[in-house]
Amino acid sequence: GAGVSQSPSNKVTEKGKDVELRCDPISGHTALYWYRQSLGQGLEFLIYFQGNSAPDKSGLPSDRFSAERTGGSVSTLTIQRTQQEDSAVYLCASSYTPGQGVYEQYFGPGTRLTVT
Amino acid sequence: GDSVTQMEGPVTLSEEACLTINCTYTATGYPSLFWYVQYPGEGLQLLLKATKADDKGSNKGFEATYRKETTSFHLEKGSVQVSDSAVYFCALSDLYNFNKFYFGSGTKLNVKP
């Protein structure tokens, strides 16, 4: 079946502009995660949606970052007034968590954001 | 809070050498442990997992054993290939923390022919 998809695959924007990154999780997956991966670095957790619960926003680096998940499916990560240090690959992952148990994450291909 | 610590890279090995990438964790609940791999130019994909103490996960010749007494989940392979060159991430998912995932910083493996 279809995996996690993200769009756009590449985004180049000017400093100070706003950008929106989209994630389409695997159908039926209740959990959705956003991460940031800077060049040569590990995964930086940004935000986590689990079903209808309030999202865990503890990883968002500043108030310029926000995310929403509509209808428990598609998610949009918004970065306002972009800065050069926002340049990175933004990864989305989803998992199916119907109850107690262990559920792996499935990752999308990422959106490479370049702020000039 | 929960966290994962893995050895820093890069790790450079010759083909057919033995590999060990260390990973230790801290968790308040009952974590499941994972190794993810990111090949050059590709997305992250699950390599193997273990859900309880003493479980051994294995895939593609890689193995890792969930050691609760040492809070470790080291990745091992007896004979690496050039095609194993990638970045490897150790991760945990804590059932009692709503399955939130915690990733290590990643270890880059370079295998030379």
Side-chain angles (χ1 to χ4, degrees):
Chain A
V4 178
S5 61
Q6 293 185 245
S7 60
S9 55
N10 281 285
K11 176 73 176 177
V12 180
T13 189
E14 293 180 351
K15 177 181 174 181
K17 301 282 190 182
D18 297 352
V19 295
E20 286 189 351
L21 312 179
R22 177 187 169 104
C23 172
D24 280 274
I26 293 172
S27 178
H29 279 196
T30 54
L32 187 148
Y33 310 75
W34 282 99
Y35 299 91
R36 180 167 68 176
Q37 187 176 29
S38 301
L39 185 62
Q41 302 298 311
L43 294 175
E44 177 186 5
F45 165 77
L46 296 178
I47 188 168
Y48 165 45
F49 296 89
Q50 173 59 52
N52 296 320
S53 302
D56 179 347
K57 304 180 181 180
S58 60
L60 295 178
S62 76
D63 58 8
R64 296 187 295 106
F65 288 72
S66 63
E68 62 178 20
R69 189 178 185 192
T70 55
S73 181
V74 171
S75 177
T76 301
L77 177 69
T78 301
I79 309 174
Q80 296 178 310
R81 305 181 302 281
T82 52
Q83 303 295 313
Q84 288 186 330
E85 60 263 28
D86 299 334
S87 296
V89 176
Y90 290 82
L91 295 170
C92 175
S94 70
S95 63
Y96 176 58
T97 58
Q100 289 197 351
V102 179
Y103 309 100
E104 68 176 273
Q105 290 190 336
Y106 295 82
F107 281 83
T111 293
R112 182 176 296 279
L113 174 66
T114 303
V115 181
T116 61
Chain B
D2 295 2
S3 66
V4 174
T5 302
Q6 61 182 105
M7 64 187 288
E8 293 188 13
V11 174
T12 301
L13 296 173
S14 297
E15 206 165 19
E16 300 183 2
C18 294
L19 168 71
T20 300
I21 300 178
N22 290 334
C23 172
T24 57
Y25 68 89
T26 302
T28 53
Y30 296 88
S32 296
L33 302 173
F34 305 81
W35 277 100
Y36 280 79
V37 59
Q38 186 175 34
Y39 297 104
E42 298 185 14
L44 274 82
Q45 55 187 277
L46 180 68
L47 179 60
L48 53 85
K49 67 182 180 184
T51 60
K52 61 183 186 297
D54 300 325
D55 268 5
K56 178 185 285 187
S58 60
N59 186 25
K60 300 182 179 181
F62 290 88
E63 292 183 339
T65 302
Y66 186 162
R67 302 286 189 198
K68 191 173 182 181
E69 63 276 15
T70 54
T71 61
S72 65
F73 193 55
H74 304 323
L75 182 68
E76 299 176 324
K77 188 173 185 182
S79 175
V80 295
Q81 305 300 312
V82 172
S83 57
D84 294 327
S85 298
V87 181
Y88 293 82
F89 293 90
C90 185
L92 74 81
S93 173
D94 191 342
L95 177 65
Y96 285 83
N97 194 10
F98 305 101
N99 281 313
K100 184 175 177 179
F101 269 71
Y102 299 82
F103 282 84
S105 56
T107 302
K108 186 173 184 179
L109 172 64
N110 296 316
V111 181
K112 297 184 175 181

